[in-house]
Amino acid sequence: MRILVTGASGFIGSHLGKALHAEHEVLGTTFRSREPLPFPSRVLDITQEQPVADLLREYRPSVIIHAAAHSRVLASELDPEGAQTINVLATGWLVRWAQKLQARLIFLSSDQVFSGNKGAYIETDATDPINHYGKTKLEAEQLVLSASSANLVVRSNS
């Protein structure tokens, strides 16, 4: 299976890429070139639509694991446009390409889509983000899930 992992230099993306690389053809994307990953990777700014389109057209993955994000809550409050661009706009491009390629999109979201007032949330609990990061992740979740029943959202806790 051919798998693209965005955010491959992050904690979750790097571990997923490494584990999947043992049995699948994996290509990771990173924002900056850092230490080499234990699987093939390319530098890609997912906020630039054309390079994203070019890579997807060339690589043609059957699964896209979208782990890249503007993931720091305070940074998202200080740079709401950046958070919106990375977390929502770029996700929208991946959603459209997943549809074109008939690929499954797995989107890594966050427990920040909840207010935190209750705790021990389950997937059917009502969302109520209280920060910009959580709002962008919820908006992206909605894009992913409305595009295809084959798509999947995975919420991790921060």
Tab-separated table of all heavy atoms in Angstrom, residues 11-47:
chain	number	residue	atom	x	y	z
A	11	PHE	N	5.973	14.070	16.363
A	11	PHE	CA	5.979	12.887	17.221
A	11	PHE	C	5.111	11.762	16.649
A	11	PHE	O	5.576	10.650	16.436
A	11	PHE	CB	5.516	13.253	18.636
A	11	PHE	CG	5.554	12.098	19.588
A	11	PHE	CD1	6.756	11.693	20.141
A	11	PHE	CD2	4.404	11.404	19.909
A	11	PHE	CE1	6.810	10.616	21.022
A	11	PHE	CE2	4.436	10.328	20.780
A	11	PHE	CZ	5.651	9.933	21.336
A	12	ILE	N	3.855	12.053	16.379
A	12	ILE	CA	2.941	11.012	15.894
A	12	ILE	C	3.289	10.618	14.465
A	12	ILE	O	3.363	9.432	14.144
A	12	ILE	CB	1.475	11.470	16.007
A	12	ILE	CG1	1.101	11.648	17.486
A	12	ILE	CG2	0.536	10.466	15.346
A	12	ILE	CD1	-0.270	12.252	17.713
A	13	GLY	N	3.498	11.604	13.600
A	13	GLY	CA	3.811	11.305	12.201
A	13	GLY	C	5.050	10.457	12.041
A	13	GLY	O	5.088	9.530	11.224
A	14	SER	N	6.088	10.746	12.819
A	14	SER	CA	7.336	9.984	12.691
A	14	SER	C	7.155	8.542	13.167
A	14	SER	O	7.667	7.610	12.543
A	14	SER	CB	8.473	10.663	13.456
A	14	SER	OG	8.206	10.698	14.844
A	15	HIS	N	6.420	8.353	14.250
A	15	HIS	CA	6.188	6.992	14.736
A	15	HIS	C	5.295	6.188	13.786
A	15	HIS	O	5.546	5.002	13.545
A	15	HIS	CB	5.600	7.029	16.144
A	15	HIS	CG	6.629	7.309	17.190
A	15	HIS	ND1	7.047	8.593	17.486
A	15	HIS	CD2	7.333	6.490	17.991
A	15	HIS	CE1	7.962	8.547	18.428
A	15	HIS	NE2	8.161	7.281	18.751
A	16	LEU	N	4.274	6.836	13.252
A	16	LEU	CA	3.416	6.145	12.275
A	16	LEU	C	4.206	5.777	11.024
A	16	LEU	O	4.103	4.648	10.529
A	16	LEU	CB	2.232	7.024	11.886
A	16	LEU	CG	1.099	7.135	12.885
A	16	LEU	CD1	0.099	8.192	12.430
A	16	LEU	CD2	0.406	5.789	13.041
A	17	GLY	N	4.955	6.729	10.507
A	17	GLY	CA	5.747	6.472	9.302
A	17	GLY	C	6.710	5.322	9.494
A	17	GLY	O	6.825	4.441	8.638
A	18	LYS	N	7.404	5.321	10.620
A	18	LYS	CA	8.365	4.254	10.907
A	18	LYS	C	7.671	2.898	11.002
A	18	LYS	O	8.135	1.914	10.426
A	18	LYS	CB	9.114	4.564	12.199
A	18	LYS	CG	10.193	3.559	12.533
A	18	LYS	CD	10.933	3.952	13.794
A	18	LYS	CE	12.003	2.923	14.121
A	18	LYS	NZ	12.713	3.257	15.364
A	19	ALA	N	6.563	2.831	11.722
A	19	ALA	CA	5.843	1.564	11.877
A	19	ALA	C	5.271	1.068	10.548
A	19	ALA	O	5.368	-0.116	10.229
A	19	ALA	CB	4.726	1.717	12.908
A	20	LEU	N	4.708	1.971	9.771
A	20	LEU	CA	4.089	1.579	8.504
A	20	LEU	C	5.115	1.224	7.435
A	20	LEU	O	4.853	0.393	6.563
A	20	LEU	CB	3.172	2.697	8.002
A	20	LEU	CG	1.932	2.939	8.851
A	20	LEU	CD1	1.270	4.253	8.464
A	20	LEU	CD2	0.961	1.779	8.717
A	21	HIS	N	6.277	1.844	7.510
A	21	HIS	CA	7.329	1.621	6.518
A	21	HIS	C	7.802	0.164	6.502
A	21	HIS	O	8.285	-0.324	5.474
A	21	HIS	CB	8.502	2.561	6.775
A	21	HIS	CG	9.633	2.428	5.814
A	21	HIS	ND1	9.483	2.637	4.460
A	21	HIS	CD2	10.923	2.100	6.003
A	21	HIS	CE1	10.646	2.438	3.855
A	21	HIS	NE2	11.531	2.110	4.773
A	22	ALA	N	7.625	-0.543	7.597
A	22	ALA	CA	8.043	-1.953	7.662
A	22	ALA	C	7.280	-2.820	6.661
A	22	ALA	O	7.822	-3.807	6.163
A	22	ALA	CB	7.848	-2.488	9.089
A	23	GLU	N	6.033	-2.438	6.351
A	23	GLU	CA	5.215	-3.283	5.474
A	23	GLU	C	4.602	-2.558	4.286
A	23	GLU	O	3.937	-3.186	3.469
A	23	GLU	CB	4.100	-3.933	6.286
A	23	GLU	CG	4.628	-4.894	7.326
A	23	GLU	CD	3.525	-5.650	8.033
A	23	GLU	OE1	2.437	-5.807	7.449
A	23	GLU	OE2	3.771	-6.079	9.178
A	24	HIS	N	4.795	-1.242	4.203
A	24	HIS	CA	4.160	-0.471	3.138
A	24	HIS	C	5.150	0.512	2.521
A	24	HIS	O	6.194	0.804	3.095
A	24	HIS	CB	2.960	0.306	3.695
A	24	HIS	CG	1.914	-0.558	4.303
A	24	HIS	ND1	1.012	-1.267	3.557
A	24	HIS	CD2	1.647	-0.857	5.609
A	24	HIS	CE1	0.215	-1.954	4.363
A	24	HIS	NE2	0.591	-1.723	5.613
A	25	GLU	N	4.768	1.039	1.381
A	25	GLU	CA	5.551	2.088	0.736
A	25	GLU	C	5.102	3.420	1.343
A	25	GLU	O	3.972	3.844	1.125
A	25	GLU	CB	5.300	2.068	-0.772
A	25	GLU	CG	6.123	3.050	-1.534
A	25	GLU	CD	5.859	2.984	-3.033
A	25	GLU	OE1	5.298	1.986	-3.515
A	25	GLU	OE2	6.220	3.963	-3.713
A	26	VAL	N	5.969	4.034	2.118
A	26	VAL	CA	5.624	5.249	2.851
A	26	VAL	C	6.482	6.413	2.366
A	26	VAL	O	7.684	6.268	2.169
A	26	VAL	CB	5.837	5.057	4.372
A	26	VAL	CG1	5.618	6.365	5.128
A	26	VAL	CG2	4.918	3.971	4.906
A	27	LEU	N	5.823	7.561	2.200
A	27	LEU	CA	6.527	8.805	1.928
A	27	LEU	C	6.035	9.819	2.948
A	27	LEU	O	4.832	10.037	3.098
A	27	LEU	CB	6.235	9.318	0.513
A	27	LEU	CG	6.871	10.661	0.157
A	27	LEU	CD1	8.400	10.575	0.186
A	27	LEU	CD2	6.382	11.138	-1.198
A	28	GLY	N	6.963	10.405	3.676
A	28	GLY	CA	6.616	11.425	4.649
A	28	GLY	C	6.888	12.805	4.098
A	28	GLY	O	7.728	12.974	3.208
A	29	THR	N	6.173	13.796	4.618
A	29	THR	CA	6.481	15.176	4.287
A	29	THR	C	6.827	15.913	5.576
A	29	THR	O	6.263	15.648	6.638
A	29	THR	CB	5.313	15.908	3.589
A	29	THR	OG1	4.235	16.104	4.504
A	29	THR	CG2	4.859	15.145	2.359
A	30	THR	N	7.787	16.812	5.466
A	30	THR	CA	8.207	17.636	6.592
A	30	THR	C	8.234	19.085	6.143
A	30	THR	O	8.432	19.371	4.956
A	30	THR	CB	9.609	17.233	7.099
A	30	THR	OG1	10.558	17.477	6.061
A	30	THR	CG2	9.656	15.768	7.497
A	31	PHE	N	8.052	19.979	7.074
A	31	PHE	CA	8.074	21.407	6.735
A	31	PHE	C	9.497	21.877	6.465
A	31	PHE	O	9.741	22.654	5.561
A	31	PHE	CB	7.439	22.226	7.851
A	31	PHE	CG	7.436	23.698	7.580
A	31	PHE	CD1	6.764	24.225	6.477
A	31	PHE	CD2	8.087	24.572	8.418
A	31	PHE	CE1	6.758	25.581	6.222
A	31	PHE	CE2	8.087	25.941	8.178
A	31	PHE	CZ	7.420	26.448	7.078
A	32	ARG	N	10.424	21.398	7.259
A	32	ARG	CA	11.836	21.742	7.075
A	32	ARG	C	12.642	20.462	7.060
A	32	ARG	O	12.270	19.471	7.671
A	32	ARG	CB	12.330	22.592	8.245
A	32	ARG	CG	11.771	23.972	8.265
A	32	ARG	CD	12.393	24.761	9.417
A	32	ARG	NE	11.656	25.984	9.642
A	32	ARG	CZ	10.639	26.092	10.485
A	32	ARG	NH1	10.230	25.065	11.181
A	32	ARG	NH2	10.026	27.249	10.636
A	33	SER	N	13.750	20.524	6.401
A	33	SER	CA	14.660	19.385	6.413
A	33	SER	C	15.355	19.340	7.764
A	33	SER	O	15.970	20.300	8.195
A	33	SER	CB	15.684	19.540	5.284
A	33	SER	OG	16.556	18.457	5.273
A	34	ARG	N	15.218	18.247	8.443
A	34	ARG	CA	15.849	18.059	9.755
A	34	ARG	C	16.645	16.776	9.690
A	34	ARG	O	17.154	16.398	8.653
A	34	ARG	CB	14.779	17.970	10.837
A	34	ARG	CG	14.005	19.270	10.977
A	34	ARG	CD	13.057	19.202	12.132
A	34	ARG	NE	12.255	20.426	12.146
A	34	ARG	CZ	11.237	20.622	12.911
A	34	ARG	NH1	10.869	19.702	13.754
A	34	ARG	NH2	10.571	21.748	12.855
A	35	GLU	N	16.745	16.112	10.808
A	35	GLU	CA	17.430	14.821	10.814
A	35	GLU	C	16.721	13.890	9.838
A	35	GLU	O	15.503	13.929	9.713
A	35	GLU	CB	17.369	14.197	12.207
A	35	GLU	CG	18.105	14.969	13.258
A	35	GLU	CD	17.961	14.322	14.621
A	35	GLU	OE1	17.695	13.108	14.704
A	35	GLU	OE2	18.117	15.053	15.605
A	36	PRO	N	17.463	13.043	9.169
A	36	PRO	CA	16.814	12.102	8.257
A	36	PRO	C	15.851	11.190	9.011
A	36	PRO	O	16.124	10.770	10.129
A	36	PRO	CB	17.977	11.300	7.679
A	36	PRO	CG	19.216	12.036	8.039
A	36	PRO	CD	18.905	12.917	9.202
A	37	LEU	N	14.734	10.924	8.396
A	37	LEU	CA	13.757	10.005	8.970
A	37	LEU	C	14.101	8.581	8.561
A	37	LEU	O	14.773	8.375	7.543
A	37	LEU	CB	12.355	10.365	8.485
A	37	LEU	CG	11.828	11.735	8.942
A	37	LEU	CD1	10.542	12.077	8.217
A	37	LEU	CD2	11.635	11.752	10.437
A	38	PRO	N	13.624	7.582	9.288
A	38	PRO	CA	13.919	6.191	8.932
A	38	PRO	C	13.031	5.660	7.807
A	38	PRO	O	12.851	4.455	7.665
A	38	PRO	CB	13.680	5.443	10.252
A	38	PRO	CG	12.686	6.265	10.975
A	38	PRO	CD	12.956	7.694	10.579
A	39	PHE	N	12.478	6.568	7.019
A	39	PHE	CA	11.678	6.221	5.840
A	39	PHE	C	11.790	7.405	4.880
A	39	PHE	O	12.163	8.502	5.285
A	39	PHE	CB	10.218	5.912	6.226
A	39	PHE	CG	9.547	6.978	7.044
A	39	PHE	CD1	8.823	8.003	6.450
A	39	PHE	CD2	9.638	6.964	8.433
A	39	PHE	CE1	8.210	8.986	7.214
A	39	PHE	CE2	9.028	7.940	9.206
A	39	PHE	CZ	8.311	8.948	8.591
A	40	PRO	N	11.505	7.209	3.605
A	40	PRO	CA	11.652	8.301	2.637
A	40	PRO	C	10.781	9.508	2.996
A	40	PRO	O	9.651	9.347	3.472
A	40	PRO	CB	11.189	7.676	1.314
A	40	PRO	CG	11.358	6.207	1.514
A	40	PRO	CD	11.091	5.953	2.969
A	41	SER	N	11.329	10.698	2.764
A	41	SER	CA	10.567	11.909	3.046
A	41	SER	C	10.992	13.027	2.105
A	41	SER	O	12.039	12.956	1.482
A	41	SER	CB	10.764	12.343	4.500
A	41	SER	OG	12.101	12.721	4.724
A	42	ARG	N	10.128	14.032	2.042
A	42	ARG	CA	10.400	15.230	1.255
A	42	ARG	C	9.994	16.459	2.051
A	42	ARG	O	9.046	16.407	2.831
A	42	ARG	CB	9.561	15.235	-0.028
A	42	ARG	CG	9.971	14.230	-1.029
A	42	ARG	CD	9.302	14.534	-2.339
A	42	ARG	NE	9.438	13.406	-3.233
A	42	ARG	CZ	8.792	13.282	-4.365
A	42	ARG	NH1	7.947	14.214	-4.749
A	42	ARG	NH2	8.975	12.239	-5.137
A	43	VAL	N	10.679	17.541	1.804
A	43	VAL	CA	10.278	18.818	2.386
A	43	VAL	C	9.095	19.336	1.565
A	43	VAL	O	9.144	19.337	0.330
A	43	VAL	CB	11.448	19.821	2.371
A	43	VAL	CG1	10.986	21.193	2.832
A	43	VAL	CG2	12.591	19.313	3.232
A	44	LEU	N	8.029	19.720	2.255
A	44	LEU	CA	6.834	20.228	1.583
A	44	LEU	C	6.141	21.227	2.494
A	44	LEU	O	5.844	20.907	3.646
A	44	LEU	CB	5.860	19.076	1.266
A	44	LEU	CG	4.539	19.481	0.608
A	44	LEU	CD1	4.765	19.909	-0.843
A	44	LEU	CD2	3.537	18.332	0.672
A	45	ASP	N	5.879	22.391	1.979
A	45	ASP	CA	5.097	23.385	2.703
A	45	ASP	C	3.639	23.160	2.326
A	45	ASP	O	3.215	23.504	1.225
A	45	ASP	CB	5.559	24.796	2.324
A	45	ASP	CG	4.805	25.892	3.060
A	45	ASP	OD1	3.807	25.586	3.763
A	45	ASP	OD2	5.210	27.056	2.915
A	46	ILE	N	2.874	22.567	3.238
A	46	ILE	CA	1.490	22.229	2.899
A	46	ILE	C	0.586	23.446	2.796
A	46	ILE	O	-0.575	23.312	2.425
A	46	ILE	CB	0.880	21.191	3.869
A	46	ILE	CG1	0.756	21.750	5.274
A	46	ILE	CG2	1.647	19.887	3.831
A	46	ILE	CD1	-0.122	20.906	6.172
A	47	THR	N	1.124	24.632	3.090
A	47	THR	CA	0.323	25.843	2.908
A	47	THR	C	0.388	26.359	1.474
A	47	THR	O	-0.239	27.359	1.155
A	47	THR	CB	0.760	26.964	3.878
A	47	THR	OG1	2.062	27.432	3.505
A	47	THR	CG2	0.746	26.495	5.320
